Amino acid sequence: KITAPTLLIQGTVDTLFSLQEADTTAATLIANGVPTKVIWFCGGHGLCGNLFDPTDGVLIQRATLAWLDRYVNGNTATVTGPQFEFVDQRWQYYASDRYPITADSPVVATGSGGQLPLIPFLWGSGPLLGVLPFAASRAYNALNLTTAPVETTTHVVGAPQLTMSYSGTGIARHVYAQLVDDSTGHVLGHQITPIPVTLDGQPHEITIALEPVAHTLRPGQTVTLQLVASSTTYATLTSFGSVQVTGMRLSLPTADPTTIRPIAI
């Protein structure tokens, strides 16, 4: 029932309120014809690598004042800018005149999986450098699926999709999926997604959307999906068991490069 023009500002490294929340809200508002603008900035309940860079604050202040001037002050001459502005892992901002962005062909990777022992905390995801207990980091106990090197600059924007075939036994109710930037070893946005599993010894298949990300791949670069047993972001004290993954398929959403443009703040 919301009819008020709405500016949504969401953090790419926020592990409490992820980009998916703003995305779901924006989709509902736009479908109802409500004027809507979306900004993804590097911040929120998480630590951004450019912690002392004022760029995000400048953008948010500028966008907020323009939005209020247009829709609260009633100044119809005020320009509120593109419908979507987002920042990638290198802190470069991009703009799109529509939200969601126009999609290009996804980056797809498939693999056979393997055996994943489910042990709480040991060699799982996090904490990052010992200082971020609720952030994801590269795991050593993981099943890895790496994309092929991209041939051109590719903007991964949105929620990746994972399909997994598996069987297993134990008392764990979830495994966890994260994406690692192979050029830096960092988990994209420090985000990790719980994947519900049924460990009754029978074969199962699940398709699930992962937490949205904003990431730019340069030619030759790759991303690795890690399926891990535990994460400090979630309660995993009872994550015991074993999972045999027989197939994985990862699909990364990409932006049509002709419909986005870099912007300077």
Side-chain angles (χ1 to χ4, degrees):
K1 297 180 180 180
I2 294 174
T3 59
T6 304
L7 170 63
L8 294 163
I9 303 171
Q10 197 84 39
T12 58
V13 296
D14 196 322
T15 57
L16 289 181
F17 307 105
S18 76
L19 297 173
Q20 188 59 54
E21 300 200 12
D23 179 72
T24 302
T25 304
T28 302
L29 294 173
I30 292 169
N32 290 339
V34 177
T36 305
K37 178 182 172 78
V38 180
I39 295 175
W40 291 359
F41 77 105
C42 193
H45 299 85
L47 183 63
C48 186
N50 64 338
L51 184 61
F52 300 107
D53 188 329
T55 302
D56 291 296
V58 171
L59 173 70
I60 291 170
Q61 181 186 61
R62 185 175 70 193
T64 300
L65 292 176
W67 196 263
L68 294 175
D69 191 40
R70 170 63 183 87
Y71 291 109
V72 178
N73 197 36
N75 185 354
T76 57
T78 297
V79 177
T80 58
Q83 190 174 28
F84 182 35
E85 294 174 273
F86 67 93
V87 68
D88 70 3
Q89 82 281 10
R90 297 184 181 91
W91 311 299
Q92 170 63 56
Y93 267 94
Y94 295 88
S96 168
D97 291 327
R98 67 180 300 273
Y99 187 90
I101 58 168
T102 302
D104 203 352
S105 299
V107 174
V108 176
T110 59
S112 58
Q115 189 79 24
L116 180 66
L118 304 182
I119 307 169
F121 300 117
L122 290 180
W123 311 296
S125 177
L128 179 64
L129 303 178
V131 297
L132 285 180
F134 300 108
S137 62
R138 185 189 287 273
Y140 294 97
N141 177 30
L143 299 180
N144 298 307
L145 175 62
T146 302
T147 63
V150 297
E151 297 181 358
T152 60
T153 297
T154 302
H155 303 282
V156 178
V157 185
Q161 187 176 80
L162 172 65
T163 297
M164 181 179 77
S165 301
Y166 72 94
S167 62
T169 57
I171 61 174
R173 294 185 296 174
H174 295 87
V175 292
Y176 303 85
Q178 61 186 18
L179 293 169
V180 178
D181 176 4
D182 293 319
S183 64
T184 63
H186 297 158
V187 174
L188 304 192
H190 302 162
Q191 301 290 343
I192 189 164
T193 305
I195 312 295
V197 291
T198 301
L199 303 184
D200 57 2
Q202 301 300 311
H204 298 276
E205 182 175 283
I206 184 172
T207 297
I208 190 169
L210 306 184
E211 293 289 2
V213 294
H215 184 70
T216 299
L217 289 170
R218 291 173 176 163
Q221 292 186 336
T222 61
V223 166
T224 293
L225 170 82
Q226 286 200 310
L227 193 68
V228 303
S230 65
S231 166
T232 56
T233 306
Y234 294 91
T236 56
L237 287 174
T238 59
S239 293
F240 288 99
S242 179
V243 171
Q244 177 67 46
V245 177
T246 55
M248 292 191 292
R249 183 182 188 274
L250 173 68
S251 179
L252 301 179
T254 67
D256 180 345
T258 66
T259 64
I260 63 173
R261 57 191 182 277
I263 55 175
I265 307 302

